[in-house]
Amino acid sequence: VEPKPSATSYDKTTPVDEIMKTMDAATARTIVFENGKYKGQTVGSVYESTKDNNGFSGKLKWFADNYRTNNILVAACIIVNKS
């Protein structure tokens, strides 16, 4: 019998929709930006500092739409922006 993959059995190249099936909002908020203006900050902290009055962050949407080297970060941005 093959062991079932754990909830975190994904990496930067796993398709975003696959990551989103197992990543919860609490985990998504802890994902850290690896470079750029937000390097070293978590998705949660960037969300809190950039969200509008409706709870939407255009910055996280930009990363979700344009960032292509780390699908974990992309998934986290989508999840946090929706939660």
Side-chain angles (χ1 to χ4, degrees):
V1 176
E2 290 292 314
K4 290 185 177 181
S6 70
T8 57
S9 62
Y10 47 75
D11 63 29
K12 293 176 184 182
T13 63
T14 303
V16 172
D17 59 333
E18 291 296 316
I19 296 170
M20 290 179 66
K21 290 177 183 175
T22 58
M23 181 183 285
D24 61 20
T27 301
R29 292 179 73 86
T30 67
I31 303 301
V32 176
F33 284 85
E34 297 176 324
N35 47 44
K37 178 179 179 179
Y38 300 110
K39 181 178 181 176
Q41 294 184 50
T42 65
V43 171
S45 67
V46 172
Y47 171 76
E48 292 299 330
S49 67
T50 63
K51 69 181 177 180
D52 63 18
N53 291 336
N54 297 315
F56 178 80
S57 168
K59 291 288 183 196
L60 292 192
K61 176 153 179 31
W62 186 91
F63 280 101
D65 291 345
N66 297 289
Y67 202 71
R68 294 293 167 254
T69 58
N70 182 343
N71 285 348
I72 295 172
L73 181 65
V74 170
C77 287
I78 294 168
I79 291 167
V80 170
N81 228 5
K82 288 182 177 179
S83 61

